[in-house]
Amino acid sequence: MGTMPALDDVSKAIIEQLQQDGRRPYARIGEAVGLSEAAVRQRVQRLIDSGVMQIVAVTDPMELGFARQAMIGLHVDGPLEPVADALAEMPEIEYVVITAGGFDILVEAVCESDQHLLEVLSEKIRTVPGVRSTETFVYLKLRKQTYSWGVR
């Protein structure tokens, strides 16, 4: 990932356009923000290269055959970053955040079955050095998932 200076109003407007519709044509975005299609394309590529944003399809994993999702809270002994980094390397883990409060780290797991979730918990997460305990919150139904919070 590269670095990018603070976002200007035009870059923020481009991001908001893509949050509304990630497939919106660059020419249409350009009309909305006052840039040429080529300039929008360059800005979008810089935003992606710098890690400010990604353009992805947002799905409901349960509709795609992943029958079990869970949020897992972890209590950790020692430094948190190495544990978070190890968890982030696991393909079943989609989300890792270091927190303040009742848990040291929260992760979201997407698994094919209850058995698969059990294997991830027992054979992967709980074997990471520093993991003291876990608490699992199994998802029963996804009611809302959005990434359109805008920019500040």
Side-chain angles (χ1 to χ4, degrees):
M1 279 186 237
T3 59
M4 185 167 185
L7 295 177
D8 63 14
D9 289 341
V10 174
S11 290
K12 290 177 181 179
I14 290 170
I15 292 169
E16 287 177 333
Q17 290 282 312
L18 289 168
Q19 283 179 324
Q20 293 167 13
D21 179 357
R23 298 183 315 157
R24 183 165 288 155
Y26 290 152
R28 202 160 137 220
I29 294 171
E31 291 170 8
V33 302
L35 292 178
S36 70
E37 178 180 354
V40 170
R41 185 179 313 283
Q42 289 175 339
R43 286 228 188 188
V44 168
Q45 193 58 55
R46 282 198 317 255
L47 291 165
I48 292 169
D49 291 345
S50 67
V52 170
M53 72 174 191
Q54 301 175 41
I55 299 174
V56 299
V58 178
T59 62
D60 179 344
M62 291 188 183
E63 294 296 325
L64 296 176
F66 294 95
R68 185 54 64 218
Q69 281 184 274
M71 181 68 65
I72 303 162
L74 293 93
H75 293 109
V76 174
D77 291 324
L80 302 177
E81 288 86 356
V83 175
D85 291 344
L87 296 165
E89 294 297 320
M90 297 176 188
E92 297 88 354
I93 304 297
E94 297 295 320
Y95 175 83
V96 178
V97 62
I98 296 172
T99 65
F103 295 102
D104 298 311
I105 297 174
L106 290 172
V107 302
E108 183 178 50
V110 178
C111 299
E112 295 169 6
S113 63
D114 287 338
Q115 180 61 38
H116 185 203
L117 176 59
L118 179 60
E119 291 167 9
V120 169
L121 282 165
S122 297
E123 299 171 18
K124 292 185 175 187
I125 293 173
R126 290 182 179 157
T127 64
V128 173
V131 172
R132 179 172 15 109
S133 64
T134 64
E135 185 172 345
T136 303
F137 303 89
V138 173
Y139 297 4
L140 299 177
K141 184 164 182 68
L142 180 64
R143 295 298 294 177
K144 181 178 182 179
Q145 178 173 311
T146 182
Y147 298 96
S148 57
W149 51 77
V151 293
R152 305 289 178 268

